[in-house]
Amino acid sequence: MLRPKKTKFRKYQKQSLKKSRKNVLFLDTLKEGIVRLDSLQSARITAKQLESSRQSISRRIKKLGKLQLKAFPDFPVSNKPTEVRMGKGKGAVEYWACKVKPGTTIFEISGADRVVAIKALESGASKLPVLVKIVG
């Protein structure tokens, strides 16, 4: 699974995902031959979800293009077991996730045929828990 080699702190506080940005403007220009997958919602995407999506996309494009992962799971999510009493500290790290806001690029394919890249990103988008938009 994807996870950072080293972090500043072992565990982080939860913090809220801002869900205020409804209408998203994609202002940055797109280079020729690049197709990307952008999120339209705020969410927390786990490393497992990113990995299964990446595998699905790379199976489709094979060696026709280059796939880049732009969102990296660098946020540890901790959890305590069920039916445990209050206190006794924070739970262990269960999994790693990345916080995604609207307009964040998740995957980018360069050098592949446009039709193949769009089909691949559609198959990868079905594995993710957010609404996405294919740009390119």
Side-chain angles (χ1 to χ4, degrees):
M1 283 300 127
L2 296 168
R3 61 179 298 237
K5 290 179 183 171
K6 189 177 179 182
T7 58
K8 188 171 183 179
F9 301 107
R10 212 163 37 103
K11 300 171 188 174
Y12 288 90
Q13 290 185 345
K14 194 171 191 174
Q15 297 177 349
S16 66
L17 291 168
K18 301 283 184 188
K19 297 184 180 181
S20 60
R21 291 174 58 187
K22 295 285 184 197
N23 297 328
V24 180
L25 294 172
F26 298 95
L27 296 174
D28 55 335
T29 57
L30 200 63
K31 293 178 184 166
E32 187 66 34
I34 293 179
V35 182
R36 67 178 192 221
L37 190 74
D38 289 350
S39 72
L40 294 174
Q41 290 179 322
S42 297
R44 192 191 286 172
I45 303 177
T46 67
K48 280 186 179 182
Q49 291 165 342
L50 278 174
E51 182 62 21
S52 77
S53 181
R54 186 197 63 78
Q55 286 176 357
S56 176
I57 294 169
S58 62
R59 256 188 231 114
R60 291 281 180 120
I61 62 167
K62 298 178 180 159
K63 294 190 178 185
L64 300 174
K66 185 177 178 183
L67 174 69
Q68 285 188 326
L69 177 69
K70 294 290 189 176
F72 188 77
D74 57 353
F75 186 78
V77 178
S78 62
N79 209 352
K80 288 184 87 162
T82 55
E83 300 182 10
V84 173
R85 293 188 178 192
M86 297 289 284
K88 307 288 190 273
K90 192 170 182 173
V93 173
E94 286 288 311
Y95 58 90
W96 291 83
C98 65
K99 290 181 178 178
V100 172
K101 291 182 181 176
T104 305
T105 302
I106 302 171
F107 290 106
E108 195 173 84
I109 297 176
S110 60
D113 184 38
R114 191 173 183 278
V115 177
V116 175
I118 289 172
K119 292 265 187 193
L121 288 175
E122 284 173 355
S123 72
S126 64
K127 312 272 187 207
L128 296 174
V130 292
L131 290 175
V132 292
K133 179 179 182 180
I134 297 171
V135 182

